[in-house]
Amino acid sequence: MKTLNLYVTRGFLLAFAMAIGILTFGMTGANLVKVLEFVSQGIPLSVFCKFTLYILPIILTFTVPWAVMVAVMLVFGRMSADNEITAMRACGISILQIMSPIMIITVLLTALCLYLQVEIGPPLLGKSRDLLGDAAINQPLAIFEPGKPIAYENTIIYIEDKEGENGILGVQLYTLADANTVAQDISAVRGKIFADNKEKVLTIKLFDCLVTDKKADKTNTIDRFYCSELEFRFYYGKQTTNRRLYIRPKHMKLTELMGMIRLTKQWNRDSTPLEVELNQRIAFALSPIAFLLLGLPLAIRTSRRETSVGLFLSVILAGAFFLSIILCESLESFPKLYPQYLLWLPNIVFQIVGAIMTVRISKR
């Protein structure tokens, strides 16, 4: 029996390692596209490495359950196709005995996912967002992309191209009187950007400027004049301080989130969005068990050698599970539907259906 358990465990761990490597690489790469753009525009490579480490715990909470299902589908599908499971059962070994080492590993992986979801992942995810903001402030030219508007306070800036470390070309700057009214339109041939990280001041110097000044009086007259040099300063210290003080619920640890829920209820406010966030984390963390219970009987029933069958089924089931939770999470603005409890439906359905199918197979 010990030899059998080692055989099953070794096959599962090998398939799990390959699956989680591929899945994590794919999901991480999708999140790194924007950071790589910043790196190409001057942000240090160290920011890229830190950002990767910060988002990795949350990504693992998605890829670990998925990798469990992929590994189960591949290993037990092959064993079923090779009649190894039939031979084991002929020797008096039940399905539960065959899957017992995988169940222990899955419970440990579930505990890991739970720890990542409630303690490690959310704060690091918040740090990853702040990291990009800080990097953009330290390298202000990186956030300026040709054709993309950049807003500072009541000013919107467009550029056509970049030049050197801090130069910008073909600058169009608008100052707004209100959300829908342009007070001043400035076109500049070129400009330079300077950031004072100590004083939290961003300075933009424009050269060879054509200024169009629109007066906000009844005459609606327009004045145009040329200016060889203009300078604008933007204080970003307030925005940085506010970002540090305010923590979004999705970036809170479990204790902080539960404390916020308690305070919200004491203030007689709707705590549904916070409860949805809490239940969503736990539901995701417990998904490896649901994936195991449903994936194992499906793998045995398919009885195919082709890995494409197991991979296809795992993609369909994992996609249905994650999509169901995301859809339930989107109902947080409808507290009468109790979305914080609807989040548990995918877990409950997967586990019940999987348990029933496993029991039926074990009795055959």
Side-chain angles (χ1 to χ4, degrees):
M1 190 63 191
K2 180 179 179 181
T3 303
L4 174 61
N5 286 339
L6 288 175
Y7 172 73
V8 175
T9 302
R10 184 169 57 249
F12 174 80
L13 290 178
L14 180 60
F16 176 81
M18 291 189 296
I20 198 170
I22 295 171
L23 292 170
T24 303
F25 176 79
M27 292 192 70
T28 303
N31 285 274
L32 294 179
V33 174
K34 187 64 178 179
V35 187
L36 287 173
E37 290 181 6
F38 283 164
V39 170
S40 67
Q41 294 165 8
I43 284 182
L45 186 62
S46 60
V47 174
F48 170 83
C49 298
K50 286 183 179 179
F51 183 84
T52 305
L53 292 175
Y54 286 164
I55 65 173
L56 193 57
I58 287 296
I59 289 177
L60 285 174
T61 61
F62 287 88
T63 58
V64 165
W66 199 348
V68 167
M69 176 169 282
V70 171
V72 166
M73 297 291 290
L74 294 180
V75 172
F76 283 90
R78 179 191 58 78
M79 291 174 62
S80 178
D82 292 341
N83 294 318
E84 292 179 354
I85 292 180
T86 303
M88 294 176 189
R89 296 181 67 183
C91 295
I93 301 172
S94 68
I95 293 292
L96 294 178
Q97 288 176 303
I98 298 172
M99 65 179 291
S100 58
I102 309 302
M103 178 62 78
I104 294 173
I105 295 173
T106 303
V107 170
L108 294 176
L109 291 173
T110 301
L112 173 64
C113 289
L114 185 61
Y115 182 67
L116 292 176
Q117 275 281 14
V118 303
E119 192 68 23
I120 301 296
L124 289 181
L125 184 64
K127 284 186 177 181
S128 71
R129 301 294 183 262
D130 291 345
L131 183 68
L132 290 182
D134 292 340
I137 288 170
N138 294 331
Q139 284 282 352
L141 193 61
I143 64 174
F144 282 85
E145 299 180 20
K148 179 181 178 181
I150 301 295
Y152 281 104
E153 298 173 359
N154 65 331
T155 304
I156 300 176
I157 306 169
Y158 293 85
I159 66 169
E160 292 181 359
D161 204 354
K162 299 180 180 181
E163 182 182 46
E165 293 184 357
N166 63 340
I168 51 179
L169 300 174
V171 186
Q172 194 75 33
L173 185 146
Y174 302 96
T175 59
L176 306 179
D178 54 51
N180 301 312
T181 306
V182 176
Q184 202 171 55
D185 180 354
I186 301 173
S187 301
V189 175
R190 58 190 177 89
K192 286 187 176 295
I193 304 173
F194 306 94
D196 188 337
N197 296 323
K198 184 177 179 180
E199 300 295 331
K200 304 296 183 185
V201 175
L202 183 71
T203 302
I204 299 179
K205 288 186 177 181
L206 301 179
F207 307 99
D208 302 324
C209 309
L210 176 63
V211 181
T212 302
D213 195 0
K214 301 178 181 181
K215 293 184 178 180
D217 53 20
K218 295 182 179 180
T219 61
N220 290 324
T221 56
I222 297 176
D223 292 335
R224 289 186 176 90
F225 58 91
Y226 171 81
C227 186
S228 60
E229 182 177 326
L230 285 176
E231 182 176 296
F232 297 86
R233 290 191 173 191
F234 304 98
Y235 176 66
Y236 58 81
K238 181 178 179 180
Q239 290 82 352
T240 305
T241 302
N242 289 340
R243 189 181 64 201
R244 296 289 188 271
L245 292 176
Y246 176 72
I247 302 177
R248 297 174 62 186
K250 68 183 301 182
H251 299 155
M252 293 180 179
K253 294 183 179 180
L254 177 64
T255 53
E256 296 171 339
L257 189 57
M258 293 182 68
M260 182 61 69
I261 292 173
R262 202 159 41 241
L263 285 174
T264 304
K265 289 183 176 180
Q266 288 178 0
W267 296 334
N268 293 322
R269 296 177 182 174
D270 181 24
S271 63
T272 300
L274 297 173
E275 294 181 44
V276 167
E277 174 66 25
L278 176 62
N279 284 274
Q280 179 256 2
R281 293 187 192 181
I282 301 175
F284 268 134
L286 298 181
S287 59
I289 296 176
F291 281 20
L292 171 65
L293 290 176
L294 187 60
L296 186 139
L298 285 176
I300 296 175
R301 290 172 71 92
T302 53
S303 300
R304 300 285 184 88
R305 286 181 179 272
E306 294 86 350
T307 57
S308 58
V309 175
L311 292 175
F312 177 75
L313 285 175
S314 64
V315 168
I316 294 296
L317 293 172
F321 181 90
F322 292 135
L323 181 61
S324 299
I325 289 186
I326 291 172
L327 288 175
C328 293
E329 186 181 6
S330 66
L331 298 174
E332 64 178 23
S333 57
F334 302 94
K336 292 183 179 180
L337 297 178
Y338 298 100
Q340 64 269 44
Y341 304 124
L342 289 177
L343 283 166
W344 289 99
L345 281 179
N347 259 307
I348 293 172
V349 171
F350 270 50
Q351 292 187 22
I352 291 178
V353 173
I356 292 174
M357 293 177 65
T358 301
V359 171
R360 287 182 178 179
I361 288 177
S362 64
K363 291 180 177 180
R364 295 165 92 186

